[in-house]
């Protein structure tokens, strides 16, 4: 397939997602039955982001053209070990491999495999030649390069196992929010999207906020209370109740507004149904701390700029663009380099 044919197939896939036909609705519900965290609402939220940010023709064409992709490369087999924390979190890796002209060996997470398999089937209906670009596998073998996403523990295993191959190995990362006291209720509603969407399970979900010393939490707690229905979800409620009991037993102070628990902690990683916070005295000190933790941070949301720190607006953490690569590693550049060094 030519690059244009691959783009056309992806655009058609985006149009299929936008129509939300009955067969797609069925797969969404099938995915929910397999993984209780994948609610219909959250899966549709992920699909909408993919449709509008990744598969819109103008955006996709401009992005692909920025890489000078060669038409006549010898396709390589790229092993993709996908995460399963939020619906279709590995879609960008699969799409990038396809656009680059390589063959994707896809190891789906057992938490998220119905949707990916379905989209590969839909692509084959759109253009049968796409079948030459995807293989869903149980065990990774016969690959030329690998992109693997996992926890810090699995990353150590991946680094040892794949050290002889061109690779991208991703570890745990978390996202943070910076509050400076100038925020409006609408800002906090958008921050609530960053915190609550996907139950906070994504690496782009805000797991911690930095607030000025002496900050009054009441405005943010009141706005976050608008998400109170989230505790109707059984898995989330179990975590919520456990965290409350844990902190009471340990006599540790916390805020509780009925939808989330907020606790002061230096850690960037928080439990499900919990949001960490930390005070800062001045922006210079905050910038220095964030810079020192750059390798642990996926993205930073806030109202105002911070020198030397990429800050995106509240509400946009879970709407990455084609250029927003996980861990800041340009996958398309990697795929170009891999194809050259493996010729």
């Amino acid at each position: 397939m030519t690059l244009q044919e691959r783009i056309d197939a992806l655009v058609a896939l985006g149009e299929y997602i936008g129509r939300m036909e009955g067969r797609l609705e069925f797969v969404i519900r099938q995915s929910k039955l397999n993984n209780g965290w994948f609610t219909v609402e959250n899966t549709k939220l992920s699909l909408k982001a993919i449709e509008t940010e990744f598969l819109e023709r103008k955006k996709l064409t401009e992005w692909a053209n920025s890489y000078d992709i060669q038409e006549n490369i010898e396709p390589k087999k790229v092993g993709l070990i996908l995460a399963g924390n939020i619906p279709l979190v590995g879609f960008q890796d699969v799409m990038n491999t396809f656009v680059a002209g390589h063959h994707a060996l896809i190891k789906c997470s057992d938490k998220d495999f119905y949707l990916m398999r379905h989209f590969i089937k839909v692509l084959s209906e759109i253009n049968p030649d796409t079948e030459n670009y995807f293989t869903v596998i149980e065990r990774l073998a016969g690959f030329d390069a690998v992109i693997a996403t996992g926890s810090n523990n699995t990353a150590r295993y991946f680094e040892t196992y794949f050290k002889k191959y061109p690779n991208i190995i991703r570890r745990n990362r978390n996202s943070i929010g910076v509050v400076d006291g100038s925020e409006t209720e609408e800002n906090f509603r958008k921050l609530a999207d960053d915190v609550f969407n996907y139950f906070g399970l994504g690496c782009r979900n805000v797991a911690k906020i930095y607030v000025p010393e002496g900050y009054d939490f009441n405005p943010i707690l009141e706005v976050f209370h608008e998400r109170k229905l989230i505790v109707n979800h059984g898995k989330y409620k179990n975590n919520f109740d456990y965290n409350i009991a844990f902190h009471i037993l340990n006599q540790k102070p916390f805020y509780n507004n009925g939808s989330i628990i907020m606790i002061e902690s230096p850690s960037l990683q928080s439990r499900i149904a919990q949001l960490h916070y930390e005070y800062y005295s001045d922006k210079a000190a905050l910038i220095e701390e964030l810079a020192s933790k750059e390798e642990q941070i996926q993205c930073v949301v806030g109202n105002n700029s911070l020198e030397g720190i990429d800050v995106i607006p509240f509400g946009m953490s879970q709407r990455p663009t084609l250029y927003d690569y996980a861990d800041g590693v340009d996958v398309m550049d990697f795929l170009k380099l891999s194809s050259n060094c493996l010729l």
Side-chain angles (χ1 to χ4, degrees):
M1 296 177 69
T2 65
L3 173 60
Q4 187 59 56
E5 288 172 334
R6 298 196 296 275
I7 290 174
D8 289 343
L10 288 171
V11 171
L13 177 62
E15 293 169 348
Y16 167 78
I17 292 172
R19 292 193 296 271
M20 198 56 64
E21 296 175 346
R23 61 191 294 219
L24 179 54
E25 293 272 8
F26 173 81
V27 177
I28 290 171
R29 283 165 172 77
Q30 189 179 33
S31 185
K32 176 190 174 184
L33 290 173
N34 177 66
N35 182 352
W37 290 111
F38 286 13
T39 63
V40 171
E41 179 185 22
N42 278 339
T43 299
K44 288 186 176 181
L45 186 66
S46 177
L47 291 175
K48 187 64 177 178
I50 288 172
E51 175 200 355
T52 57
E53 298 297 335
F54 291 172
L55 303 181
E56 194 274 326
R57 182 178 295 278
K58 185 174 184 294
K59 293 177 182 178
L60 186 57
T61 300
E62 290 179 353
W63 166 79
N65 288 342
S66 71
Y67 286 97
D68 188 28
I69 298 168
Q70 301 299 308
E71 293 282 8
N72 298 314
I73 66 167
E74 179 184 344
K76 301 300 175 181
K77 293 182 178 180
V78 182
L80 303 177
I81 300 178
L82 307 184
N85 48 327
I86 66 175
L88 286 168
V89 68
F91 181 84
Q92 189 175 19
D93 285 340
V94 175
M95 182 193 70
N96 289 346
T97 304
F98 177 53
V99 171
H102 297 304
H103 185 102
L105 303 176
I106 306 169
K107 176 68 171 68
C108 294
S109 166
D110 59 3
K111 298 176 182 178
D112 183 20
F113 58 89
Y114 286 108
L115 289 162
M116 189 64 72
R117 289 170 183 263
H118 179 66
F119 285 161
I120 291 171
K121 184 177 187 301
V122 172
L123 281 170
S124 71
E125 295 169 359
I126 291 168
N127 187 328
D129 289 340
T130 62
E131 293 183 359
N132 299 320
Y133 291 85
F134 306 105
T135 303
V136 177
I137 58 172
E138 294 296 326
R139 183 176 181 276
L140 190 57
F143 54 89
D144 300 307
V146 65
I147 302 173
T149 304
S151 66
N152 289 342
N153 287 333
T154 56
R156 286 191 286 271
Y157 165 78
F158 290 155
E159 286 182 334
T160 300
Y161 189 78
F162 300 127
K163 63 182 179 181
K164 296 180 180 179
Y165 303 89
N167 66 70
I168 295 175
I169 308 297
R170 302 194 184 107
R171 290 177 166 78
N172 287 341
R173 288 206 181 202
N174 295 278
S175 297
I176 63 105
V178 176
V179 174
D180 60 17
S182 66
E183 291 77 16
T184 64
E185 286 189 5
E186 186 58 28
N187 290 145
F188 287 144
R189 288 190 181 93
K190 291 179 179 179
L191 176 58
D193 288 339
D194 299 321
V195 172
F196 288 101
N197 285 353
Y198 310 113
F199 301 105
L201 294 172
C203 64
R204 295 183 67 89
N205 282 109
V206 169
K208 177 177 182 176
I209 58 173
Y210 287 85
V211 299
E213 289 184 346
Y215 186 74
D216 177 12
F217 285 94
N218 285 324
I220 194 169
L221 288 167
E222 288 177 6
V223 173
F224 279 16
H225 182 63
E226 295 174 4
R227 299 296 188 100
K228 60 185 180 295
L229 294 181
I230 195 171
V231 295
N232 289 340
H233 186 273
K235 287 178 175 289
Y236 187 91
K237 182 66 160 56
N238 289 340
N239 283 272
F240 183 83
D241 291 343
Y242 172 85
N243 290 336
I244 290 178
F246 179 84
H247 295 314
I248 290 175
L249 288 172
N250 285 277
Q251 298 183 337
K252 193 165 185 178
F254 61 91
Y255 292 102
N256 170 21
N257 70 345
S259 63
I260 199 164
I261 297 158
M262 295 181 63
I263 186 166
E264 186 174 5
S265 172
S267 174
L268 296 181
Q269 186 173 11
S270 61
R271 296 190 182 107
I272 297 170
Q274 183 166 291
L275 178 67
H276 289 173
Y277 67 85
E278 185 173 343
Y279 295 106
Y280 65 90
S281 56
D282 60 77
K283 281 195 174 182
L286 175 61
I287 290 170
E288 184 177 351
E289 176 168 353
L290 296 183
S292 72
K293 296 181 177 180
E294 181 182 7
E295 296 300 316
Q296 304 172 51
I297 296 174
Q298 191 67 262
C299 63
V300 179
V301 301
N303 241 0
N304 297 299
S305 61
L306 295 171
E307 185 177 356
I309 307 291
D310 290 330
V311 180
I312 61 177
F314 290 125
M316 297 301 292
S317 69
Q318 285 293 357
R319 293 186 64 87
T321 70
L322 287 160
Y323 299 93
D324 291 326
Y325 298 102
D327 295 10
V329 179
D330 191 317
V331 174
M332 292 300 287
D333 275 345
F334 166 78
L335 291 170
K336 287 172 63 179
L337 290 171
S338 297
S339 62
N340 290 334
C341 70
L342 291 169
L343 288 175

